[in-house]
Amino acid sequence: MSEKRAKKRTEVADIDRSLYDFKKSEEGYERFDDGLSADIVREISAKKDEPPWMLDLRLHSLELYEQMKMPSNWGPSIAGLDMKNISTYVTSGSAQVDSWEEVPEDIKDTFERLGIPEAERESLAGVGAQYDSELVYHNMREEVAELGVVYSGIEEALHGPYAPLIKEHFMKLVPPTDHKFAALHGAVWSGGSFVYVPAGVDVPFPLQSYFRLNAAGAGQFEHTLIIVEPGANVHFIEGCSAPKYNVANLHAGCVELYVAKGARLRYSTIENWSKNMYNLNTKRARVEADGVIEWISGSFGSHVGYLYPSSLLMGERARCEFTGITFAGAGQNLDTGCKVHMAAPDTRASVSTKSISKSGGISTFRSSVVVTPKAENARTTVSCQSLMLDDESVSDTIPAMDVRNATAQIGHEATIGRISDDTIFYLMSRGIAEEEARAMVVNGFAEPISKELPLEYAVEMTNLIKLEMEGAIG
Amino acid sequence: MAISKPLIDITNVTALAGEKEILHNVSLALDAGTCHVLMGPNGAGKSTLGHVIMADPEYTLSSGSIAFEGKDITDMPTYKRALAGIFLSFQAPVEVPGVPLYSFLRTICAARPELKMTARQFRKHVHELADELEMDEAYLTRDLGVGFSGGEKKKVEMLQLLLLQPKLAILDETDSGLDVDALSVVSKGIDAYRKSCDGTLLIITHNTRILERVSVDRVHVMVDGRLVDEGNASLISRIDAHGFEAYTQE
Ligand SMILES: Nc1ncnc2c1ncn2[C@@H]1O[C@H](COP(=O)(O)OP(=O)(O)O)[C@@H](O)[C@H]1O
Ligand SMILES: [Mg+2]
């Protein structure tokens, strides 16, 4: 019937991403040779003046990396990623400072355009900003520091009083043996944040780290380590973006979260890497009794993404709430989802995700729920809704369940839908142009997720969706 | 003597859904401020005519033209027709999860600067109208159409009609599936619409009850995609008594 119209609709003009897609010169930057070798790893370590155990960890990781095979039977292809062409370390050479005034003009301008200093003034307890391989800015409000909260660059913390604590936790949740890109991360990690929230402290505003990868053909390997002590509560926000290049870039960050008894951590991410990015990121949380991990995850960017934040519910009544949205447009193949490992009685998990695919984009939702024999009365609900905006796009759901306790209750529901022509006609008949009508439906679909985000991020997500929807009609 | 142009002038329209011809050479002209009723058996093409007037992309015109206020709108897209002052109340209004009714109403009003409504006036007006239509105000914060009963959906259509005050309102079986109370609310709404802006109406209905309150200028009968008869309001009671047999037996 309306085949001609459907075809026409799905022609996509190049999306204007000027909001994120601006490049800065790399002139005068220090850039290590492309590819990977023990020499490069030693060079990175020496530059950072690290304790010897860290160099050992790096070299051991490199060995593992070299032994492990590229994942081949898993999700979207990463054949286009050739490590020989990736520089693992690039820095502007500017030292990390705690005042935006001291940040070099170019870099400051970048973060200003991304709205970071403004957000910091208005609604954040602390901010870290990483540019390529190194942090360029880190600061926290005085009154939060007075509560005993630590929020700093992780490398900096390795030289301070928390060094033993970091050693105890660093790559223990995500060991280099986990998978090839965890090994790579162990070898060349650089930058990232360390957060420590003492027992009983309720951090009144979110902490935020922003990661910007400006250099072409480079990798970003930041490490985030968060320790929330018993009864404490904190919200951490992570944002990331990059300009688009026509060579592959790689992000293989690692996030390790330790949520102690009765503590609560909300970890929000808006990921908006450019569409030449391979985002092979690993995030994991360990939650003790009565603790809560809340994941809010928005994935909009990247050419290929593997992202499955996982939660190990180790103590009784530990909980995980996962709320995620993935938007895969032209040229994107995003394999996202989450894992929950329920290893104690009365643990709870609720997973709710939305995925949108458009203009040939592929979005796959992968979930894995494991219930161990110990997890009496574990309860999980997994719900995944997909919206395909045209016939070329693909949406898929791959749930895996491994339930080893008969008292467990597991619910799973998945729906895949399209925007109906009737809905669009209805909205148009009330005076709304087609493009706007589509954006309205998509934003409505995403609303249960966006309402979980801090306001400025909800606005950003609405804008991102609008941006993605623009030019969707030929 | 100046000859006044009709508000809408549909001339020899033949419309298809895919390959299937549904409307055959339909002509219909409505003068501003008049009230017309379109009747006909199920499947006659009444809804299709409403949708064609609104430029539903589902249908293509193989011939004919449509003029609105003297201007040819045959190629005008749906949303522009809406902004020009044409309104189609849907026989089956849709559901849009995640879009609260209130913000939807705000959006469609914002698209019409001529309404000159401040946020405050808008708020007040919407609540007054909801009240008039005996709608629970809780509906305003719910997602458009989601979990609304058939009757509530129709009331939401009336709410938009009264809010937007279009020059031409096509009401497609706004009365079907309503209980007696809802029916009287809807017919009061129609009354209010006419009084407030001297609007022009094309009412598609099976139900003569809804017409008791409104004074009808002209009645049109459609069978098998053709307009086969027209007359004054007395035609309604004739059809009420005898149905469409007289037209279908030919
Ligand atoms: N999109 C469509 N595709 C195919 N057939 C259609 C479509 N829309 C309407 N029709 C057909 O056209 C005829 C008229 O339908 P409709 O206008 O809904 O009638 P009415 O509103 O008078 O009951 C029916 O036979 C219906 O099945
Ligand atoms: Mg009908």
Side-chain angles (χ1 to χ4, degrees), chain B residues 17 20 22 41-49 58-59 91 172-173:
Chain B
K20 184 177 168 194
I22 297 173
N42 259 332
K46 306 180 296 295
S47 291
T48 302
L49 179 59
E58 195 73 21
Y59 304 100
Q91 188 171 349
D172 190 358
E173 302 207 20

Side-chain angles (χ1 to χ4, degrees), chain A residues 294-325:
Chain A
E294 288 177 90
W295 301 96
I296 314 292
S297 180
S299 300
F300 291 88
S302 301
H303 167 53
V304 168
Y306 291 178
L307 183 62
Y308 327 97
S310 66
S311 306
L312 312 177
L313 306 181
M314 305 308 291
E316 291 179 44
R317 296 171 302 278
R319 258 166 54 205
C320 158
E321 283 166 28
F322 185 94
T323 310
I325 185 159

Side-chain angles (χ1 to χ4, degrees), chain A residues 1 425-426 428 430 444, chain B residues 51 58 79 88 112 157 160:
Chain A
M1 141 230 73
F425 174 58
Y426 181 87
M428 290 194 298
R430 302 302 142 98
Chain B
H51 282 238
E58 195 73 21
Y79 81 98
L88 169 66
R112 292 166 171 83
E157 297 293 278
Q160 293 175 65

Side-chain angles (χ1 to χ4, degrees), chain A residues 261-462:
Chain A
K261 277 187 184 171
R264 188 179 193 104
L265 168 60
R266 174 177 269 229
Y267 195 94
S268 302
T269 306
I270 288 277
E271 177 270 305
N272 188 32
W273 295 118
S274 53
K275 293 177 181 174
N276 57 314
M277 181 68 93
Y278 287 81
N279 185 33
L280 312 175
N281 211 15
T282 311
K283 299 180 177 182
R284 202 162 293 166
R286 180 189 163 104
V287 189
E288 309 301 337
D290 297 303
V292 181
I293 176 78
E294 288 177 90
W295 301 96
I296 314 292
S297 180
S299 300
F300 291 88
S302 301
H303 167 53
V304 168
Y306 291 178
L307 183 62
Y308 327 97
S310 66
S311 306
L312 312 177
L313 306 181
M314 305 308 291
E316 291 179 44
R317 296 171 302 278
R319 258 166 54 205
C320 158
E321 283 166 28
F322 185 94
T323 310
I325 185 159
T326 298
F327 194 126
Q332 292 184 278
N333 191 339
L334 305 182
D335 206 86
T336 60
C338 77
K339 298 183 189 174
V340 185
H341 187 86
M342 309 177 91
D346 299 307
T347 44
R348 299 275 179 273
S350 86
V351 175
S352 165
T353 67
K354 304 258 179 176
S355 90
I356 301 163
S357 52
K358 180 181 146 274
S359 309
I362 303 173
S363 171
T364 306
F365 171 73
R366 218 181 270 269
S367 64
S368 153
V369 176
V370 175
V371 179
T372 69
K374 275 196 225 156
E376 286 286 309
N377 296 312
R379 306 248 183 294
T380 306
T381 58
V382 178
S383 134
C384 171
Q385 289 182 285
S386 310
L387 187 63
M388 284 186 286
L389 300 188
D390 51 55
D391 296 336
E392 307 165 78
S393 303
V394 181
S395 228
D396 207 353
T397 306
I398 307 176
M401 309 252 166
D402 179 2
V403 181
R404 313 222 163 180
N405 184 309
T407 62
Q409 285 184 22
I410 313 283
H412 182 268
E413 78 178 56
T415 60
I416 294 184
R418 290 165 193 281
I419 299 183
S420 82
D421 289 345
D422 288 350
T423 302
I424 297 303
F425 174 58
Y426 181 87
L427 297 175
M428 290 194 298
S429 82
R430 302 302 142 98
I432 301 170
E434 178 163 358
E435 207 169 80
E436 202 189 326
R438 286 181 183 276
M440 185 184 252
V441 174
V442 174
N443 268 313
F445 176 77
E447 190 266 353
I449 314 291
S450 56
K451 75 164 190 261
E452 292 301 323
L453 295 170
L455 183 64
E456 63 276 18
Y457 277 80
V459 171
E460 181 179 344
M461 188 168 121
T462 306

Side-chain angles (χ1 to χ4, degrees), chain B:
Chain B
M1 196 179 78
I3 300 167
S4 72
K5 286 226 165 66
L7 178 69
I8 187 160
D9 198 354
I10 300 157
T11 315
N12 301 329
V13 162
T14 294
L16 299 85
E19 305 282 287
K20 184 177 168 194
E21 198 173 299
I22 297 173
L23 299 180
H24 317 285
N25 207 30
V26 170
S27 295
L28 182 65
L30 313 180
D31 286 331
T34 57
C35 174
H36 297 248
V37 171
L38 177 60
M39 303 183 90
N42 259 332
K46 306 180 296 295
S47 291
T48 302
L49 179 59
H51 282 238
V52 162
I53 295 173
M54 207 72 231
D56 186 344
E58 195 73 21
Y59 304 100
T60 49
L61 297 198
S62 61
S63 68
S65 64
I66 304 176
F68 188 68
E69 295 189 300
K71 284 195 289 284
D72 186 355
I73 59 162
T74 315
D75 293 321
M76 190 186 266
T78 302
Y79 81 98
K80 286 196 177 153
R81 293 191 195 193
L83 296 178
I86 306 179
F87 180 87
L88 169 66
S89 158
F90 279 43
Q91 188 171 349
V94 301
E95 302 182 358
V96 190
V99 178
L101 174 57
Y102 188 84
S103 66
F104 169 71
L105 295 174
R106 187 85 195 102
T107 305
I108 62 177
C109 280
R112 292 166 171 83
E114 72 276 12
L115 291 177
K116 294 196 184 81
M117 238 187 279
T118 64
R120 197 196 200 106
Q121 288 166 330
F122 169 79
R123 188 179 186 81
K124 186 159 170 273
H125 193 41
V126 164
H127 283 271
E128 279 166 6
L129 292 176
D131 211 38
E132 246 172 75
L133 293 166
E134 295 172 24
M135 276 179 72
D136 187 343
E137 302 213 338
Y139 280 89
L140 291 172
T141 56
R142 296 201 195 152
D143 292 350
L144 178 58
V146 179
F148 290 25
S149 70
E152 296 295 349
K153 282 186 180 171
K154 296 295 172 67
K155 284 184 181 179
V156 171
E157 297 293 278
M158 295 306 292
L159 179 57
Q160 293 175 65
L161 172 70
L162 295 173
L163 197 57
L164 302 180
Q165 304 200 325
K167 292 169 186 152
L168 168 65
I170 305 159
L171 307 184
D172 190 358
E173 302 207 20
T174 302
D175 49 353
S176 68
L178 297 190
D179 61 27
V180 182
D181 290 344
L183 212 55
S184 101
V185 170
V186 166
S187 67
K188 264 192 262 171
I190 295 176
D191 225 23
Y193 161 66
R194 295 204 78 190
K195 291 212 174 87
S196 71
C197 63
D198 197 23
T200 306
L201 274 162
L202 178 62
I203 303 175
I204 301 172
T205 186
H206 287 294
N207 194 330
T208 50
R209 193 184 255 140
I210 196 166
L211 303 173
E212 280 164 13
R213 274 172 171 273
V214 277
S215 71
V216 173
D217 294 301
R218 209 76 194 140
V219 178
H220 310 266
V221 180
M222 178 174 270
V223 174
D224 285 339
R226 290 190 173 79
L227 286 174
V228 293
D229 198 7
E230 82 169 85
N232 60 22
S234 67
L235 191 51
I236 297 170
S237 43
R238 220 163 70 215
I239 289 172
D240 214 20
H242 305 289
F244 299 103
E245 264 170 44
Y247 305 109
T248 50
Q249 307 249 301
E250 281 162 32

Side-chain angles (χ1 to χ4, degrees), chain A residues 70-75 366:
Chain A
M70 275 288 203
S72 58
N73 264 332
W74 182 268
R366 218 181 270 269

